[in-house]
Amino acid sequence: DRHLGVFHQHKDAVTGLAFRRNTNHLYSCSLDRMVKLWNIDELGYMDTLFGHQDGAVAIDALQREQAVTVGCRDKTVRLWKIADDAQLVFRAGAATDQHRITKALGSAPEIQSELNPRVVSSLNGHETTLRTLAGADAEFSEDCVDCVTMIDEETFVSGGDSGALCLWSVQKKKPVFIHHLSHGVVSTGSNDAPPRACWISAVAAVPFTDLFFSASSDGCIRMWQMRAGKTPGFDLVNVIAVNGFVNALSVRELVPEDPMSNTRDIVVAAAVGQEPRLGRWEKVSARNVVKVFTLRAVLPTAGQ
């Protein structure tokens, strides 16, 4: 618990940090549009990665020598292949219009009665929202991409101000799946103005599993599970109530006490605030705190 040093290379606010797993290599991103690499063992600067046309506001990394970032209003997700000195650029900017809303309604999975009541309520609310907007001339465009998380080395999820969660694969330049208005909409207070999407403020995955979490200011952290099989997608499996703007999420699996156990509890830490992390354009009644939730593993029943 001692101070080791200070890195001064960035020229604007640092917006994200990520360690490469099982190493002391640190990646950072900043509003100065740069991604920087650091060696913690030597407390030294290693390299700078250029490419974003706007501030890089989120970053994530796993085991390979690579990182994924999002560039806010340049509407790109970039996968940096550090060893190859290369980058893959994925164009975001998912739009939610009447056609896509109608298509989402038609492809929505059937709501199972055995689901958690909160999940059922959330799914019903989402369906109701889509049906209401399907008959209106409403459109939600993604003007900035705010967060990203890696599911595995070749799959990642991003979120932005359109309220859509986008699933990406390194094999394609466009999202392989989009879940529109994932956290619903909120009224703008005007009868003439259409509702505004609850933008995705944070995402975090349990690394190398089929689970990830998303958050907004709608009072919920949502837990999603990737669909099995070759068809890409994900479905809602749990909902955690939390009041305020969830500005960051961190998720970890707990090592079970029984080494023979094949189930693990999940710990979710949420940085909750009264205001969004990048601006003070809204304020809600909440406390500025870090909330920690433990999700207990459910043992499979006989025959499952």
Side-chain angles (χ1 to χ4, degrees):
D1 295 335
R2 61 190 180 91
H3 180 255
L4 296 178
V6 179
F7 302 131
H8 296 284
Q9 294 281 344
H10 280 298
K11 299 178 181 179
D12 207 330
V14 177
T15 51
L17 297 170
F19 274 97
R20 181 183 170 196
R21 287 167 65 94
N22 303 321
T23 74
N24 282 333
H25 289 176
L26 175 67
Y27 306 145
S28 64
C29 64
S30 168
L31 294 182
D32 63 10
R33 308 181 185 182
M34 292 182 280
V35 178
K36 292 185 179 289
L37 285 58
W38 314 89
N39 188 321
I40 303 302
D41 290 329
E42 300 176 1
L43 295 180
Y45 159 79
M46 295 172 60
D47 199 1
T48 298
L49 308 177
F50 299 94
H52 279 299
Q53 303 302 306
D54 194 24
V57 293
I59 189 169
D60 198 16
L62 293 176
Q63 288 181 332
R64 292 182 188 171
E65 197 173 354
Q66 63 183 24
V68 63
T69 58
V70 291
C72 199
R73 294 191 180 277
D74 75 1
K75 294 188 280 189
T76 64
V77 182
R78 296 175 187 253
L79 180 67
W80 307 87
K81 295 191 173 184
I82 297 166
D84 300 332
D85 194 22
Q87 60 178 290
L88 299 178
V89 182
F90 303 86
R91 300 293 175 184
T96 302
D97 54 21
Q98 189 171 5
H99 169 71
R100 290 180 174 88
I101 291 173
T102 304
K103 185 177 178 180
L105 275 170
S107 61
E110 183 179 349
I111 299 175
Q112 305 296 323
S113 59
E114 64 270 17
L115 290 174
N116 182 312
R118 283 184 178 175
V119 176
V120 174
S121 175
S122 180
L123 291 173
N124 286 329
H126 184 256
E127 183 177 348
T128 301
T129 298
L130 292 181
R131 291 191 182 282
T132 301
L133 295 174
D137 189 18
E139 181 174 351
F140 306 89
S141 60
E142 190 170 63
D143 295 320
C144 61
V145 190
D146 289 334
C147 49
V148 68
T149 187
M150 298 190 78
I151 304 293
D152 55 38
E153 301 288 7
E154 297 186 347
T155 311
F156 39 95
V157 175
S158 69
D161 63 349
S162 70
L165 285 168
C166 298
L167 177 65
W168 303 86
S169 169
V170 296
Q171 308 298 329
K172 294 188 176 181
K173 292 292 186 178
K174 294 183 178 180
V176 296
F177 179 77
I178 301 177
H179 191 282
H180 297 280
L181 300 175
S182 301
H183 284 257
V185 296
V186 61
S187 173
T188 57
S190 171
N191 293 330
D192 299 329
R196 175 182 58 78
C198 294
W199 72 85
I200 310 299
S201 56
V203 289
V206 184
F208 301 109
T209 70
D210 59 353
L211 299 175
F212 73 93
F213 295 77
S214 67
S216 182
S217 59
D218 65 329
C220 295
I221 298 172
R222 285 172 164 78
M223 177 178 175
W224 309 85
Q225 184 173 33
M226 306 294 290
R227 293 174 183 171
K230 295 183 179 181
T231 303
F234 48 82
D235 298 305
L236 185 68
V237 293
N238 203 351
V239 176
I240 304 171
V242 56
N243 182 42
F245 285 95
V246 180
N247 290 316
L249 287 172
S250 182
V251 184
R252 290 294 180 270
E253 283 185 310
L254 294 179
V255 178
E257 296 181 0
D258 182 4
M260 301 301 293
S261 174
N262 60 356
T263 60
R264 295 189 176 188
D265 298 340
I266 297 174
V267 173
V268 181
V272 184
Q274 297 177 346
E275 301 162 331
R277 72 181 179 111
L278 296 176
R280 292 185 168 181
W281 47 82
E282 267 192 65
K283 188 171 184 178
V284 297
S285 178
R287 297 180 60 193
N288 297 320
V289 295
V290 175
K291 294 188 176 183
V292 181
F293 307 90
T294 301
L295 304 181
R296 299 297 178 186
V298 179
L299 294 174
T301 59
Q304 289 186 334

